[in-house]
Amino acid sequence: MVDIPVDTRLAARRPTRLEGLRALARSNIYFAIASIVVALFILSATFAPLVSPHPPLDQDMAAFMSPPLTENHMLGTDSFGRDLLARTIYGARYALAIGFGAVLIGALGGLIVGVAAGLSGGVTEWALMRFIDALLALPSLIMAIAFISILGQGVDKVILAVGVALIGPFSRTVRADVLQVKAQAFVEAAGLMGVKRLAIIWRHILPNVIFPLAVQATIRVSYAVLVSSGLSFLGIGVAPPTPDWGLMIAEGRSFVSFAPWIAGVPGTALAILLIALSIVGDGVREHFDPKLRKQG
Amino acid sequence: MSTAPIFRLLDVQKAYDVDAKGGSLFSRAKRRLRALDGVRLSLAPGESLAIVGESGSGKTTLLRVLLGLTHPTDGRALFREKDIASLDGVDRDRFCREVAAIYQDARGSLNPRMSVLDLIAEPLDHHKLCTNSDRSDRVAALMSRVGLSPAMMSRYVSALSGGQLRRIAIARALASEPSVLVADEAVSGLDVSTQAQILKLLRDLQREMGLSLLFITHDLGVAAYLCDRIAVMYLGRVVEAGLTREVLKAPAHPYTRALLNASPRFFAPISDPLPGEVPSPIDLPPGCRFAGRCVRAQDDCQKSEPALTPASPTRMFACFHPLAS
Ligand SMILES: Nc1ncnc2c1ncn2[C@@H]1O[C@H](COP(=O)(O)OP(=O)(O)OP(=O)(O)O)[C@@H](O)[C@H]1O
Ligand code: SF4
Ligand SMILES: [Mg+2]
């Protein structure tokens, strides 16, 4: 018989994926820059205590509302004399935690509801579809507001509220994917082979659904960050004095005519992160979406 | 046991209710479309049977009935003398293991998120035909058997060509050590040389492993190369059946003759296509369903429908005025 490179199997399980992303970064300069920016945000959020010049809640009695580039406060201070750079760095923690956490909840919930709706039929499917319609009837921000008013304020509550608000859109795409995969010949072929229904779902349907879902999730992280900042800005998300960007922008709003940096610094951070996240999300989608990519 | 047919179709009918034109908004008119209309067939162990016919003649429907994917609306479809629709327990397992299908759309029949190794090993794993340690050896052996390099084992469907995909589909079908191979247009859409290679592979496999083969095609040349027996279908009915070389040498049914004339031969200019349109299978007129296009049609052809009757032990046809042999 022929000698076979069995050991390459695991290593080569999905070799094209990461290599492909690296090639994408090389060919698409915006994707490369955006990835670096997102990575920097994630790093500085993770190591906030190390990179931040001050603790986020420390008040400098000698420097209220000092503009950027003053001594000790590179990006200035707010109306309580708190360092804006420090607060923005710590704010990235909340923004990213809420963004990724909410998307995780939304994607997981969407996966469960969408798969159930796609695989069941009859009354169950009808009920699930009406449930999804109900979730989709309101924009996510309004939806999140509704949940916050039930759950109360706090970071965990915001993650939950935004996450639940995202279940609708996620489950709709998952259901569409399930219906499409279910109709494929390989699912029928597995049935012919006598593979049990649960095994078919696990081995053939889920892997073909989870991957597009992961791509979807990348795209929706920036949206989740935006919605959560919106909530804080409206004063119903994270409670002060938490260094949350939305909250900081709201606080700085009253001083915008004479101390624009108070709202401007977190606002710029938010804008940069959102843009970088959506470029990364778009790049990932473009790279993996079979409809956008030519078949090999 | 060995001579008992593996598959037997007894006057199988499969009718679909389809929406017809002319129904009002509230009462949709339903029409019956008979995709299969009284099909009688059998497949013995080790035998190869080609089903030929124009598009829409019900070939795929016949196959789906054999595989138990659709159930006949009338008549019986039997696998080893048991109703395919109600197989269960041991019989069901046996059916799953003994019958392997090769799909028309090879790419669609292979999960794009599984490597070639996992794809071919799936039947092995499912029917517990190998241990973990010899899993990849078995897959490598199957791959070399169908003419693929085992180095391809870690590839995915998206990185393979159409011909390679057919071979993988065949390897996968062979993995469960089946006794029947059922294939729907398994070589259509391939270039001529790849087609020839795959056909040769299928023929060798069939002979060496003693497989039964049911091969659907609209190409008489393919049928002649691969199969001992042939059944010609027209609008849901078998109109002529028998040994392939006898049927193709001296067709008795005018439709078989017309098909033969229409099929291009080497060195011959492409002949005229079949005269006339295939009538709609919905609400067929009484009499022979080929009458509208038949050059030999006479008055009695419109009155009643000819039945498929044996003319010799190896030959059957359904025509009142067969071509003389
Ligand atoms: N699910 C269905 N509902 C209604 N009509 C159907 C259905 N499946 C098949 N038909 C009809 O049954 C007839 C036979 O179809 P079938 O797919 O068996 O043809 P075929 O011989 O395989 O043709 P081809 O060579 O084009 O694949 C066609 O008229 C088709 O429109
Ligand atoms: S029965 Fe009559 S119409 Fe039908 S095929 Fe024979 S000759 Fe033609
Ligand atoms: Mg067909």
Side-chain angles (χ1 to χ4, degrees):
Chain A
M1 205 172 309
V2 202
D3 58 318
I4 25 151
V6 187
D7 49 339
T8 60
R9 186 193 145 220
L10 274 180
R13 223 183 141 71
R14 210 168 289 295
T16 50
R17 303 283 182 225
L18 275 180
E19 275 167 26
L21 270 188
R22 232 174 280 140
L24 178 69
R26 237 175 281 131
S27 67
N28 186 340
I29 182 77
Y30 295 110
F31 179 79
I33 295 173
S35 309
I36 293 171
V37 170
V38 172
L40 283 179
F41 269 94
I42 292 176
L43 282 177
S44 55
T46 319
F47 301 107
L50 298 179
V51 288
S52 171
H54 305 276
L57 298 183
D58 267 18
Q59 287 175 269
D60 185 346
M61 296 309 177
F64 291 104
M65 288 203 231
S66 52
L69 303 178
T70 43
E71 209 194 340
N72 247 331
H73 304 291
M74 209 206 301
L75 294 179
T77 58
D78 67 5
S79 58
F80 298 97
R82 296 175 297 198
D83 186 74
L84 279 175
L85 177 61
R87 286 179 68 74
T88 303
I89 290 174
Y90 274 90
R93 280 192 157 181
Y94 292 95
L96 290 170
I98 293 172
F100 285 107
V103 162
L104 206 67
I105 291 177
L108 215 64
L111 184 68
I112 294 168
V113 177
V115 166
L119 290 177
S120 64
V123 185
T124 321
E125 182 180 19
W126 183 87
L128 284 169
M129 283 315 292
R130 297 297 81 77
F131 173 64
I132 295 175
D133 286 347
L135 287 179
L136 284 170
L138 294 173
S140 298
L141 182 62
I142 312 269
M143 196 76 182
I145 292 175
F147 282 114
I148 286 282
S149 60
I150 301 169
L151 299 168
Q153 284 181 303
V155 178
D156 49 342
K157 314 282 189 344
V158 172
I159 293 179
L160 198 60
V162 178
V164 172
L166 284 175
I167 288 180
F170 271 123
S171 43
R172 191 171 55 172
T173 52
V174 169
R175 175 175 173 269
D177 284 337
V178 169
L179 290 182
Q180 193 232 328
V181 172
K182 200 170 71 164
Q184 302 251 323
F186 62 81
V187 173
E188 191 184 274
L192 268 182
M193 204 185 291
V195 181
K196 296 280 174 299
R197 194 171 146 78
L198 270 180
I200 293 181
I201 295 172
W202 182 251
R203 203 182 311 155
H204 295 287
I205 296 182
L206 278 185
N208 283 286
V209 166
I210 283 183
F211 201 73
L213 178 67
V215 173
Q216 275 282 320
T218 333
I219 298 167
R220 288 196 205 272
V221 172
S222 68
Y223 186 68
V225 174
L226 185 65
V227 170
S228 73
S229 301
L231 285 178
S232 312
F233 180 80
L234 293 174
I236 53 172
V238 180
T242 314
D244 179 274
W245 293 344
L247 210 54
M248 291 164 69
I249 297 171
E251 282 168 5
R253 193 171 43 154
S254 1
F255 316 110
V256 87
S257 52
F258 55 93
W261 58 88
I262 299 180
V265 169
T268 311
L270 178 63
I272 292 175
L273 180 63
L274 288 185
I275 293 171
L277 278 174
S278 18
I279 292 177
V280 170
D282 277 351
V284 169
R285 186 188 54 185
E286 222 164 276
H287 187 67
F288 289 127
D289 193 336
K291 277 164 229 123
L292 296 175
R293 191 179 38 148
K294 89 168 177 40
Q295 273 283 319
Chain B
M1 162 65 96
S2 63
T3 50
I6 298 180
F7 278 119
R8 217 140 65 89
L9 296 187
L10 299 174
D11 297 316
V12 164
Q13 190 197 69
K14 175 72 199 178
Y16 292 106
D17 282 323
V18 291
D19 293 347
K21 282 188 293 218
S24 74
L25 184 61
F26 299 104
S27 69
R28 254 185 274 157
K30 290 278 187 194
R31 294 287 185 74
R32 300 283 279 176
L33 183 156
R34 290 199 177 81
L36 293 179
D37 196 2
V39 171
R40 197 175 261 266
L41 265 186
S42 72
L43 184 70
E47 186 177 57
S48 52
L49 171 66
I51 311 273
V52 298
E54 281 170 291
S55 191
S57 53
K59 306 182 295 289
T60 300
T61 310
L62 176 77
L63 189 110
R64 294 181 66 83
V65 167
L66 285 179
L67 293 176
L69 294 169
T70 45
H71 302 316
T73 40
D74 197 14
R76 297 177 71 197
L78 305 175
F79 171 74
R80 297 199 187 279
E81 303 305 306
K82 297 216 171 81
D83 245 309
I84 295 172
S86 50
L87 288 177
D88 51 10
V90 187
D91 292 331
R92 172 100 215 139
D93 293 342
R94 182 166 181 202
F95 179 81
C96 291
R97 180 163 164 192
E98 282 198 24
V99 182
I102 301 172
Y103 279 75
Q104 185 162 4
D105 170 19
R107 195 177 289 276
S109 71
L110 301 170
N111 186 342
R113 305 232 172 269
M114 282 166 82
S115 65
V116 171
L117 171 65
D118 289 337
L119 283 170
I120 299 178
E122 193 185 10
L124 295 174
D125 296 341
H126 179 72
H127 297 294
K128 304 192 176 57
L129 297 174
C130 68
T131 59
N132 259 337
S133 54
D134 68 353
R135 189 167 179 262
S136 47
D137 288 343
R138 288 286 295 273
V139 172
L142 281 164
M143 289 181 76
S144 349
R145 184 71 197 81
V146 298
L148 285 173
S149 153
M152 261 176 207
M153 220 180 253
S154 56
R155 294 232 209 137
Y156 287 82
V157 168
S158 58
L160 295 162
S161 75
Q164 291 167 336
L165 289 173
R166 306 284 163 132
R167 290 176 196 270
I168 289 168
I170 295 172
R172 214 169 112 85
L174 294 177
S176 62
E177 294 164 8
S179 54
V180 199
L181 217 53
V182 179
D184 189 354
E185 304 273 12
V187 293
S188 58
L190 293 173
D191 65 80
V192 181
S193 75
T194 317
Q195 200 169 346
Q197 289 166 11
I198 303 256
L199 285 174
K200 179 161 186 327
L201 170 66
L202 281 172
R203 189 165 80 162
D204 294 349
L205 288 170
Q206 195 249 328
R207 303 226 164 132
E208 285 163 29
M209 304 172 71
L211 292 171
S212 300
L213 180 66
L214 192 125
F215 199 86
I216 290 186
T217 176
H218 53 249
D219 187 331
L220 292 174
V222 169
Y225 178 80
L226 209 55
C227 299
D228 315 325
R229 279 179 56 221
I230 191 169
V232 181
M233 286 187 73
Y234 185 72
L235 285 181
R237 265 195 170 219
V238 176
V239 294
E240 178 159 12
L243 294 177
T244 312
R245 71 192 130 74
E246 286 181 13
V247 171
L248 296 187
K249 202 168 117 218
H253 197 282
Y255 178 63
T256 315
R257 170 89 262 161
L259 267 189
L260 260 175
N261 288 345
S263 73
R265 264 155 293 176
F266 290 118
F267 311 120
I270 290 181
S271 51
D272 300 331
L274 251 62
E277 286 281 304
V278 185
S280 154
I282 307 172
D283 298 331
L284 282 168
C288 176
R289 55 195 65 205
F290 188 54
R293 301 164 81 191
C294 183
V295 285
R296 298 174 67 84
Q298 291 170 30
D299 286 350
D300 56 343
C301 299
Q302 322 274 355
K303 294 204 186 74
S304 61
E305 176 142 41
L308 188 65
T309 38
S312 79
T314 55
R315 191 69 173 277
M316 300 207 277
F317 50 82
C319 175
F320 293 131
H321 312 286
L323 296 145
S325 48

